[in-house]
Amino acid sequence: MRKEVFNLKLFLSLIIGILGLIFLFFNFLYLYAPPVAHPYTIFEKITTAHYHLIEKLPLLLRVFFLDFLEELAFLIFLFLSPLAIFLANKAYESTKQNLAIFAMLLNIINLIFSIFIGWVILGLTTGAM
Amino acid sequence: MKLAEITILLLVMPLFLLTTITAVKAAGEAIVTDADSVWHSGLFSASSDAINSTDAPTQNLIKYAFVSHADSVWNSDLTPPSADIIDSADTLEENLFKYAFISHADKVWHSGLISPSSDITDSTDAPSENLITWAFVSHADSIWNAELKESGWEGRQPPEKWSFAIITDLHIGRGYPDYDGQGFEDGYSGEDYYLTKRLKNVVKWINDNKNNIDCDGAKCPIQFLVVLGDIADSAEKSEFLKAKEILDKLNDPNNDGNTSDGIPYVPLFGNHDVWPYTNSNNATSALGERYFDQIFWDENETNTKLMKERLNFQRDKLHKNYKNFVFNYGKINFVGLDFNSRKPVPFGKGIGSDAVAWREECAVPVPSGTTCPYFIKKQEALDWLEKKLEEFEGEPVILFSHHPMKLSIAEAFSSPELSQLREILKNKSVVFDFGGHIHSFEGILGKFPWVANANKEYNPINSTQVITTEALMVGSNGRGVEKATKQNGVVDGKKGIIRIVKVFGTDDIRPNNWETTEKGDEFVGLNPNFDYYPVTIGGSGMPIGYRFVAKYFTERKISKYKWDFGYPIGEKEGEEVFISIDEIQQGINLETYEQTGTGVKIPVKLTLVDEKTQEGESIPRKEKVYFSYAYLIIGPSQNQFISLRNYQKLTVTTENRNGVEALINVSHSPSTSVGIITVNFGEAKDNIDLSELIADSDIEKGKSILYMENWPKEVERSKILFIPKK
């Protein structure tokens, strides 16, 4: 039986994938259902509650969480997701093949999600609104 | 491990960059003295190259001064003079001027600094662009554009309870590749269509109902209308002119020259009003600034007069390019803010959609290709807001900004910008920020229920409620009407687009009222548009006619699609209709269609009818189609024809007219292709007559025939015959 070893590449790929999914989800939510004074839909309730939490942070952290991770997350993960797919691919030969496949799938989803959000933002910023 | 480090670096890098950018602060001051001319001396640090003169009074610290030929300039800075300022006997008693152009002054005290704007008129007497604010001036030869500090304006006595109305995002011209004639520097003949009609209806509604607005049993008449920007769709002059023509009806509802029964309207500048473009032209600068000034302020005598008389309307004259303003009614102060970008988008036309609270600009004019020695932070709207809030300390203030004060790097403010706004609004009595800009549209996002209903209240900034109103260009289009809430203006599936803000007192202002909640009225939004495509034979690229397809931006049910192509084609019905080149040819023969070069312009008017209200919305356009004059006449037998869509008589056109493959079909059931002939239309001097053609197919017997005793010379000898399988 092969010895179970900690695989850093796989670990990083999974972390990028999980963080990506969370941040991209919020990235999309902030566009689709921004925080409002009287939240009506479940999405508005999530972003509004989240915004109230973030609001209490100091400016730089607020900027980091809001602008960079949640509003520009798609840009970050447009680059990080392919990297994470590459890492998962490298880890495929290890004993944790199933996990590697999962990491790859997760990051592929993130990549598609990033492209979609980018497309939406491009539509919003190029003068249609 | 190396890879892990790179990953962490990638994650941390944005934060590091941001920290660095934020840490860079524009700072420094200039020590300038005894110069004949000093221009643009903004923000230089007192380094070794600053000239110190012994002649100068000490502490000649100048920030951003444009000074020339002045004998003396002391303590010029941006702050207004305070009580401890020494008045000289030479000075005209306390002539505190704002926004003065000064030349040949013996003495100028406390001149503040303002960068000159390009549209300021320079006199030959004046040193160029010596724009000084808050100056004490003595013995000046000339003072231009000086505006004395405001003295107590009283205005009209408002009723005990009153109201004002808000509409936004008119987007006049949307749906037209080039509104009113060619180019954006056009005139007064903008097309009348559904958006102009909707605006007319809105103006009429306000005129009809302004005195009947109910405030808990008492009347609270509408005193003015605020238009929250995006008046034009692509900043064409004609779009502004058309909007003005319609809005002017508010000033003089009876068109009798009497404005006592009219109300003023206050226009804001939106991102679509900045940069003109058409389908074929794109401006090279933000010309919309000039059009807007000219059409809504300078040459709009009646409305400007009403705004000044009734609302004490005042603009930020120091930065005329930026449309910031202030007015006052019923002991409430209103501040209008222009956060629009002035930079064109890298892709597409016009400017970006996001709000720009500040930007970096070179402190001095430098020739192109030269590196700027120093950048300064410019934030006209924020400066204006800060200044006015200081003036209005303790009094209620309402803000109007095209971009609502909400978080969104794509459509509104970034979080640092929002933080600065939060700082400015801290402990101020700013009750509302009314914005527009956020609405759905028919583009890529129109496919999703994006911003289904823009009547929304966003997260407040401190105690300021941030509220947006549904766009006029969207109308009551059946989106976001599933549930009525206090904030969304929905009543019985009708969505409100005129927000009526009721003022019961300075501490009791109620913004959530619409035409829907007041009178149960609505402005139906079907938002028609159409595309058209050439219909070709066998994929050859040769149009035999044109297919017109209706588009709409609504979720309401449409009961009729009516098309009008003018005489002789006339009217047709259907979501998709076809007109043949032959029909167009008749129009040319009768000279009802206008020929232009290789094509012809045909009038097309699409009208959609709403199933529920039977109201119609139309968009008329002139569309150019192309064809040539050689015909392929098929017939007369019913089961012989060519084509994709069973048209019995065909007209063919193309630039490349030779070697066109025409598919021969039979129309009897089942419809079967008989063969393909190749036609050289380029050789044709007249119609190609195929009326003697015999074409048929019998599936049962497995036989086909494609025969003509004398084939026209334009048809190539080699032909393809399809033999059906038994």
Side-chain angles (χ1 to χ4, degrees):
Chain A
M1 196 177 166
R2 289 173 71 177
K3 196 185 165 191
E4 289 292 320
V5 285
F6 174 72
N7 191 319
L8 182 68
K9 286 171 191 166
L10 184 55
F11 175 73
L12 276 176
S13 180
L14 278 169
I15 288 292
I16 293 171
I18 292 162
L19 284 179
L21 201 64
I22 296 167
F23 285 126
L24 288 170
F25 174 70
F26 274 98
N27 195 170
F28 182 75
L29 268 198
Y30 267 82
L31 283 167
Y32 184 68
V36 288
H38 309 281
Y40 166 56
T41 63
I42 181 74
F43 295 131
E44 283 176 349
K45 281 175 186 161
I46 295 171
T47 47
T48 307
H50 181 262
Y51 187 72
H52 284 309
L53 277 177
I54 300 270
E55 245 188 344
K56 293 182 176 72
L57 295 174
L59 175 65
L60 275 181
L61 276 177
R62 201 160 67 219
V63 168
F64 180 68
F65 275 110
L66 286 176
D67 282 356
F68 274 81
L69 290 181
E70 276 157 27
E71 294 236 287
L72 291 173
F74 80 97
L75 214 54
I76 296 168
F77 287 95
L78 215 51
F79 295 100
L80 281 187
S81 297
L83 177 73
I85 295 166
F86 172 75
L87 289 176
N89 189 40
K90 284 277 169 193
Y92 185 72
E93 296 304 318
S94 76
T95 52
K96 299 183 176 68
Q97 284 189 354
N98 286 344
L99 214 53
I101 292 169
F102 173 72
M104 270 191 265
L105 279 175
L106 192 62
N107 284 292
I108 287 169
I109 290 168
N110 284 355
L111 185 61
I112 294 167
F113 205 9
S114 301
I115 294 166
F116 173 71
I117 295 171
W119 175 67
V120 166
I121 289 182
L122 187 73
L124 287 173
T125 50
T126 48
M129 187 177 279
Chain B
M1 278 305 284
K2 232 178 175 180
L3 208 52
E5 282 167 14
I6 293 167
T7 315
I8 291 163
L9 199 65
L10 275 169
L11 276 166
V12 171
M13 192 63 106
L15 179 63
F16 173 74
L17 278 172
L18 180 83
T19 321
T20 317
I21 293 162
T22 317
V24 175
K25 276 181 73 182
E29 290 138 345
I31 299 177
V32 183
T33 174
D34 202 31
D36 281 342
S37 309
V38 181
W39 284 276
H40 298 272
S41 63
L43 279 177
F44 293 94
S45 56
S47 59
S48 55
D49 58 354
I51 308 152
N52 284 318
S53 163
T54 47
D55 292 328
T58 55
Q59 297 189 17
N60 287 351
L61 193 54
I62 301 179
K63 284 163 75 184
Y64 317 108
F66 296 80
V67 183
S68 148
H69 297 284
D71 286 341
S72 313
V73 180
W74 285 278
N75 288 11
S76 61
D77 64 23
L78 272 172
T79 49
S82 59
D84 58 355
I85 284 164
I86 305 152
D87 287 327
S88 161
D90 290 327
T91 55
L92 305 169
E93 20 174 276
E94 301 277 346
N95 282 352
L96 182 54
F97 287 97
K98 286 168 73 184
Y99 323 140
F101 285 86
I102 300 161
S103 91
H104 300 284
D106 284 341
K107 291 183 186 341
V108 181
W109 287 274
H110 289 268
S111 58
L113 56 103
I114 293 301
S115 51
S117 66
S118 54
D119 55 354
I120 285 161
T121 321
D122 288 325
S123 159
T124 46
D125 289 327
S128 60
E129 300 183 330
N130 289 347
L131 184 54
I132 299 177
T133 56
W134 303 109
F136 281 95
V137 184
S138 83
H139 295 284
D141 283 343
S142 315
I143 300 174
W144 289 268
N145 287 15
E147 188 180 285
L148 277 171
K149 203 179 177 188
E150 302 130 46
S151 59
W153 171 90
E154 290 302 328
R156 251 190 188 188
Q157 186 64 30
E160 192 187 339
K161 289 174 186 173
W162 55 279
S163 59
F164 63 93
I166 292 172
I167 58 169
T168 187
D169 291 77
L170 319 183
H171 287 267
I172 299 297
R174 202 174 187 94
Y176 287 88
D178 188 347
Y179 194 62
D180 181 29
Q182 224 176 349
F184 42 77
E185 185 90 35
D186 41 16
Y188 293 84
S189 312
E191 289 87 343
D192 282 313
Y193 74 121
Y194 72 93
L195 279 181
T196 56
K197 184 183 159 196
R198 200 178 295 162
L199 180 60
K200 276 179 193 167
N201 289 342
V202 162
V203 167
K204 187 176 181 308
W205 190 93
I206 295 172
N207 278 334
D208 290 349
N209 295 287
K210 68 184 176 213
N211 294 321
N212 298 318
I213 302 299
D214 181 73
C215 284
D216 291 350
K219 299 287 177 212
C220 49
I222 295 174
Q223 301 297 316
F224 55 88
L225 168 76
V226 183
V227 187
L228 288 175
D230 279 0
I231 291 170
D233 189 56
S234 55
E236 287 190 62
K237 205 172 182 179
S238 53
E239 295 172 342
F240 290 122
L241 286 166
K242 181 56 87 176
K244 179 192 173 295
E245 177 193 313
I246 300 168
L247 289 166
D248 279 352
K249 263 276 187 200
L250 289 163
N251 299 156
D252 181 9
N254 301 323
N255 218 12
D256 56 2
N258 178 10
T259 56
S260 63
D261 53 347
I263 57 168
Y265 60 90
V266 183
L268 263 85
F269 202 49
N271 59 309
H272 277 260
D273 302 324
V274 178
W275 200 282
Y277 62 88
T278 66
N279 59 338
S280 53
N281 284 327
N282 194 9
T284 49
S285 65
L287 279 175
E289 291 175 337
R290 184 158 62 78
Y291 296 160
F292 192 89
D293 268 5
Q294 195 184 331
I295 293 161
F296 288 111
W297 310 128
D298 301 340
E299 292 171 14
N300 196 4
E301 263 178 51
T302 314
N303 190 55
T304 308
K305 194 171 165 235
L306 282 177
M307 284 200 295
K308 283 190 173 165
E309 280 178 6
R310 297 195 195 168
L311 309 173
N312 192 24
F313 181 87
Q314 294 185 22
R315 290 188 58 195
D316 178 3
K317 286 187 182 170
L318 300 178
H319 310 99
K320 272 188 89 177
N321 290 350
Y322 288 84
K323 320 295 177 198
N324 301 308
F325 59 81
V326 65
F327 66 93
N328 175 285
Y329 191 84
K331 293 182 182 163
I332 297 174
N333 301 293
F334 299 87
V335 182
L337 299 164
D338 172 5
F339 288 111
N340 297 298
S341 162
R342 297 300 195 265
K343 281 191 178 172
V345 285
F347 319 102
K349 292 171 175 177
I351 61 155
S353 170
D354 60 325
V356 178
W358 60 70
R359 67 198 186 282
E360 297 280 306
E361 257 185 25
C362 192
V364 290
V366 287
S368 63
T370 317
T371 319
C372 173
Y374 207 93
F375 286 92
I376 51 173
K377 190 179 176 187
K378 302 281 261 180
Q379 45 174 44
E380 290 83 357
L382 290 182
D383 289 345
W384 176 255
L385 175 63
E386 216 166 356
K387 185 176 152 192
K388 289 296 152 188
L389 291 183
E390 265 175 41
E391 266 179 45
F392 304 141
E393 190 70 54
E395 297 170 17
V397 178
I398 288 176
L399 307 181
F400 298 117
S401 55
H402 177 65
H403 295 87
M405 292 178 182
K406 63 160 267 207
L407 178 81
S408 172
I409 51 161
E411 316 153 300
F413 295 90
S414 66
S415 121
E417 288 173 322
L418 216 55
S419 295
Q420 183 154 349
L421 277 166
R422 195 177 279 117
E423 275 306 301
I424 293 172
L425 300 178
K426 198 190 249 176
N427 301 324
K428 305 286 183 199
S429 44
V430 180
V431 198
F432 297 107
D433 170 54
F434 288 108
H437 187 59
I438 305 294
H439 56 83
S440 51
F441 52 90
E442 64 278 39
I444 52 168
L445 296 177
K447 308 280 181 280
F448 309 102
W450 205 267
V451 200
N453 183 344
N455 287 322
K456 267 194 175 176
E457 189 181 330
Y458 289 92
N459 241 33
I461 307 275
N462 303 332
S463 59
T464 306
Q465 284 176 254
V466 179
I467 291 174
T468 56
T469 302
E470 183 58 282
L472 180 132
M473 69 155 260
V474 173
S476 183
N477 68 342
R479 274 195 175 177
V481 295
E482 300 75 25
K483 192 177 174 184
T485 67
K486 198 187 160 196
Q487 287 82 22
N488 73 5
V490 173
V491 176
D492 297 335
K494 300 168 184 173
K495 180 166 57 170
I497 59 167
I498 309 174
R499 185 182 287 276
I500 299 154
V501 183
K502 296 180 179 177
V503 183
F504 289 73
T506 52
D507 55 353
D508 186 5
I509 303 168
R510 302 179 197 175
N512 293 321
N513 313 282
W514 290 264
E515 73 279 15
T516 47
T517 56
E518 290 304 295
K519 304 281 171 190
D521 295 334
E522 72 171 336
F523 299 96
V524 169
L526 302 174
N527 307 312
N529 204 337
F530 59 86
D531 279 338
Y532 67 107
Y533 311 94
V535 175
T536 56
I537 293 178
S540 65
M542 283 199 146
I544 54 167
Y546 282 84
R547 188 164 58 93
F548 286 79
V549 183
K551 288 164 66 186
Y552 39 85
F553 177 48
T554 191
E555 278 179 18
R556 300 178 76 100
K557 280 193 178 163
I558 297 165
S559 61
K560 268 182 195 164
Y561 301 81
K562 292 197 282 191
W563 300 84
D564 188 352
F565 295 96
Y567 183 76
I569 299 178
E571 292 187 358
K572 290 181 186 246
E573 263 193 45
E575 193 166 351
E576 201 179 312
V577 294
F578 175 83
I579 59 167
S580 70
I581 293 294
D582 196 42
E583 287 175 295
I584 297 167
Q585 180 63 45
Q586 287 173 34
I588 295 167
N589 295 342
L590 293 165
E591 295 182 355
T592 53
Y593 295 163
E594 176 195 348
Q595 267 186 281
T596 56
T598 55
V600 60
K601 274 191 171 177
I602 57 167
V604 186
K605 183 179 177 184
L606 169 66
T607 307
L608 304 183
V609 180
D610 179 49
E611 189 183 78
K612 191 176 170 190
T613 61
Q614 289 303 304
E615 280 180 42
E617 284 199 333
S618 306
I619 180 163
R621 285 206 305 251
K622 280 197 169 174
E623 297 297 355
K624 199 169 179 181
V625 295
Y626 299 89
F627 67 99
S628 68
Y629 298 103
Y631 287 82
L632 187 62
I633 310 289
I634 309 291
S637 173
Q638 249 188 18
N639 60 358
Q640 293 170 6
F641 55 87
I642 288 177
S643 173
L644 301 174
R645 287 185 164 265
N646 301 356
Y647 303 113
Q648 295 192 5
K649 198 173 176 186
L650 303 173
T651 305
V652 183
T653 175
T654 184
E655 291 299 313
N656 177 17
R657 296 163 57 211
N658 287 335
V660 176
E661 289 187 342
L663 184 71
I664 314 286
N665 281 354
V666 285
S667 63
H668 59 61
S669 181
S671 177
T672 316
S673 294
V674 176
I676 293 174
I677 58 170
T678 308
V679 188
N680 295 319
F681 287 93
E683 294 170 10
K685 289 190 179 136
D686 204 343
N687 299 336
I688 303 166
D689 191 350
L690 294 184
S691 52
E692 300 298 316
L693 176 71
I694 299 168
D696 205 351
S697 182
D698 189 330
I699 297 172
E700 290 298 312
K701 293 177 181 168
K703 286 180 180 176
S704 289
I705 184 168
L706 186 65
Y707 170 75
M708 205 169 158
E709 195 171 347
N710 294 306
W711 285 95
K713 63 177 176 17
E714 294 88 353
V715 176
E716 282 187 10
R717 283 194 66 184
S718 59
K719 300 166 187 75
I720 298 168
L721 180 68
F722 301 144
I723 314 286
K725 274 186 183 173
K726 283 185 190 174

